[in-house]
Amino acid sequence: MVHDYRRSAVSLMMKLHREKRRKSLISAERLRRSGLALSFRLKMEENGKDKGPIVLALDRIPEGSGDLLSRSIAILEKVHPYVCALKLNRHLVLPLGLFSGIRRIVDKAHNLGLPVIMDCKINDVGYTNRVIAENYFNAGFDAVIANPFVGWEEGLQPVFETARRLDKGVILLVYMSHKAASEGYGQKVLDRETNKLKPQYVVFAEKALAWKADGAVVGATYPSKIREVHEILGAKVPIYSPGIGAQGGDLKAASEAGSKYFIIGRSITLADNPAEAAKAFREAAKRLM
Amino acid sequence: MVHDYRRSAVSLMMKLHREKRRKSLISAERLRRSGLALSFRLKMEENGKDKGPIVLALDRIPEGSGDLLSRSIAILEKVHPYVCALKLNRHLVLPLGLFSGIRRIVDKAHNLGLPVIMDCKINDVGYTNRVIAENYFNAGFDAVIANPFVGWEEGLQPVFETARRLDKGVILLVYMSHKAASEGYGQKVLDRETNKLKPQYVVFAEKALAWKADGAVVGATYPSKIREVHEILGAKVPIYSPGIGAQGGDLKAASEAGSKYFIIGRSITLADNPAEAAKAFREAAKRLM
C-alpha cells in the first residue's frame, strides 16, 4: 500500500514536471536554482528516459593540452548528450579539491542537465559520515555512494537523514566489480533472525530495500549476482552496474540480469573519440530496453 | 623464523637510529629530508617511546578567530609535545583540499616530528584504491587506513604494494567504535577453509597478520574485542583504538586489553585547554604502561 501510494505520487510528480517543462515555464536548472529541487531519484528517472541509461565515470583523464580540470570538463562537454548522469571519484576530488575544481565540474554538469553522484563509498562512523555527506552535498553533488557494511545506528543513519533533508540520494554498495569482491561481498554470513546462512550481498540488498536507498551498486562483471539482487529489489531500488568495458563487464548480460544504469569510465574517457564511444554504448543499451 | 629475523632487524635499526640521534649526527627531520625516511612503523615505535601513545585526531575544530586551516595548525602547535602522531580525516581534507591546506598541516606535523595518518578507510576497487593511496602519500601522509572487507586481489593489494614501495604504512580496520559495528564487524561469517563460523573481526585480524599490516584499528568502546584481537596479533601488529572520551571509550580498559595507541579527537580539540587535555591523557596512558 505504502509503496503503491509512493509510486503514484512519483508518477504524478513526473507528469506534472514534464508538463511544466513542455510549457517552458520551468527548466530543471531553474527548478534547481529556485530551491525546488527535483529529488535525485526523479532526476535519474527523467534523464534515463530522455538520454539513456549510461552514467559517465569521469575518473581516468588522458594526458593532453590544458590542466586536469579543463581536460575533464572538455570530455564532459563532448559526452554529455549521450549520458544521463555523471559520477566522480577520488581520482579527481583529491588532486582538484572539492570546493575549487570539483565544484566547477559539478556546476558544469548541472548546466548540462546531469545529476552528479559522488562515489565516496562512505564507511566511517556516523559522526564522520555526516560530515562527509554534508561536504559533498554542499559542493553540489546530488547523491553519495555508501557501504552498508558499517550498519545503521551511528553508521549510515546520519547519511540517509542528511540526504532526505536536502532532497539528495544515497546509493548503496551491494556487490562490487573486482576479483576479491568474493572475499567480503560474496562471503556467507549468519542471519540473526533466521539463524541461517545467506550471502553478504543478499544482506546488503535487503538493507537497501529496508533503508529505502535510491540505488544499489552491483558489478557488471557478475551478472548472476545482478539477477539475484534484482529479484530482491524489483523496481523499488534501481541497480547501477560499474565495470563495463575496461573491467570486462558486458552491457547486454548486465541489462538482461536487471541493471538499470550502466556506469562506464575508461572505455569512454580513454577512447579516441569519447563522444562516439559514449553514443555507441547508449545505442547498444537502448536496443536492449 | 621470518618474523624473528624481521624483529631483530627492526631492533637493530632502531638502536642505530637512536645512537645516531644521540650523537646529533642526524635528526629524524634531516633523515626525512635526506630521503632516507624511517618507515612509518619505526617512526611510531620511536615516537611512542619518546612521547607516549596518544594519536591526535584533528577532526572537529572549534570556532574562533582565524580560518579553519590556521585554527587547526594552532591546536597542533599547542598539543604536539604530548602526542606521538597526527591523524586526519575528511573533516579537514574536504573543506581544505589535499594539495593546498592539508599539505601545510602535514608539513607542520613533520616539522614537529609527528608522522601523519590519513583515515580514508579505503574500500574501493584496486585501480581506484591505488590512486587514493598515491594521492595521500604524495601529499606527505605516512600511512593510510583501509577496510579489509574489499579483500586482496584487485582490492587492497595495490595499496600495500604502493605503501611498501614508498616506505609508508597501511593500517586496517578490524572493529570500529560505533554502535552498529556489530552489524558488519560483529557478524558471524563462514570460514571457507574450516567451514566453521567465526566473527568478522577475527577474519579481519587474520588478514592484518597475513598481509603484514602496520596497525589494526579496534574501537576503545569494545575492550573485549580488543582483547580477542590482541590474542591473534600479539606484538606483530599494534592496535590503534579510537573512541576514547567523546564516544565513551575508556583508556584504562583499552590499554589493559592490549591497545598500543589511543586515538583521541574531540576530548582534546574541544577542551578549554587542548594542551592540558592531551597532557592528562598522555600521563594517564603512561601510568598504564
Side-chain angles (χ1 to χ4, degrees), chain A residues 25 31 93-94 125 144 160 180 187 193 200 218 222 258 280 282 285:
Chain A
L25 282 176
L31 202 71
V93 168
L94 293 179
V125 298
V144 292
F160 276 86
Q187 69 188 351
E193 284 178 22
Q200 181 76 73
V218 185
Y222 299 102
R282 202 254 313 246

Side-chain angles (χ1 to χ4, degrees), chain A residues 175-178 217-226 239-245 247-255 257 259 261-264:
Chain A
Y175 200 97
M176 281 172 67
S177 55
H178 65 300
V217 173
V218 185
T221 39
Y222 299 102
S224 66
K225 303 288 192 292
I226 297 173
I239 295 175
Y240 288 71
S241 287
I244 285 162
Q247 290 179 63
D250 177 53
L251 200 146
K252 186 164 182 282
S255 173
S259 298
Y261 302 105
F262 307 94
I263 300 169
I264 305 181

Side-chain angles (χ1 to χ4, degrees), chain B residues 243-263:
Chain B
I244 285 161
Q247 289 179 63
D250 177 53
L251 200 146
K252 186 165 182 285
S255 173
E256 285 171 358
S259 298
K260 183 160 182 179
Y261 301 106
F262 308 94
I263 300 168

Side-chain angles (χ1 to χ4, degrees), chain A residues 195-211:
Chain A
N195 215 33
K196 283 184 181 160
L197 285 172
K198 58 168 78 164
Q200 181 76 73
Y201 59 89
V202 169
V203 175
F204 286 172
E206 288 168 351
K207 284 187 200 291
L209 207 57
W211 298 350

Side-chain angles (χ1 to χ4, degrees), chain A residues 60 89-91 94-95 98-99 121 123-125 127-128 131-132 135-136 147 149-155 176-180 182-190 192 197 200 204 207 211 266, chain B residues 60 89-91 94-95 98-99 121 123-125 127-128 131-132 135-136 147 149-155 176-180 182-190 192 197 200 204 207 211 266:
Chain A
R60 179 91 178 276
N89 199 320
R90 274 61 54 91
H91 302 254
L94 293 179
L98 184 56
F99 292 98
K121 296 185 173 69
N123 71 332
D124 212 307
V125 298
Y127 153 72
T128 300
V131 171
I132 293 170
N135 268 284
Y136 285 119
N147 193 337
F149 183 70
V150 295
W152 184 253
E153 197 177 2
E154 294 179 357
M176 281 172 67
S177 55
H178 65 300
K179 281 187 186 159
S182 60
E183 275 184 48
Y185 294 92
Q187 69 188 351
K188 295 273 200 310
V189 305
L190 190 71
R192 287 179 197 187
L197 285 172
Q200 181 76 73
F204 286 172
K207 284 187 200 291
W211 298 350
R266 286 169 279 178
Chain B
R60 178 89 179 275
N89 199 321
R90 275 62 53 91
H91 301 255
L94 292 179
L98 184 56
F99 293 98
K121 296 185 173 68
N123 71 331
D124 212 308
V125 297
Y127 155 72
T128 300
V131 170
I132 294 171
N135 268 284
Y136 285 120
N147 193 336
F149 183 70
V150 293
W152 185 251
E153 198 178 0
E154 294 180 357
M176 281 173 67
S177 54
H178 64 300
K179 280 187 186 159
S182 61
E183 274 184 50
Y185 294 92
Q187 70 187 351
K188 294 272 199 312
V189 305
L190 191 71
R192 286 177 200 189
L197 285 171
Q200 181 77 71
F204 286 172
K207 285 186 201 289
W211 300 349
R266 286 169 280 179

Side-chain angles (χ1 to χ4, degrees), chain B residues 6-22 26 31 38-50 260-261:
Chain B
R6 202 178 148 206
R7 186 180 280 183
S8 307
V10 165
S11 162
L12 182 65
M13 280 175 73
M14 283 174 60
K15 206 169 157 188
L16 279 169
H17 175 64
R18 269 199 294 273
E19 205 175 308
K20 280 182 179 170
R21 249 192 12 175
R22 204 166 39 243
I26 194 159
L31 201 72
L38 272 176
S39 79
F40 168 72
R41 183 77 180 268
L42 270 175
K43 275 187 226 170
M44 289 301 301
E45 290 277 350
E46 280 277 278
N47 269 16
K49 275 179 189 152
D50 288 355
K260 183 160 182 179
Y261 301 106

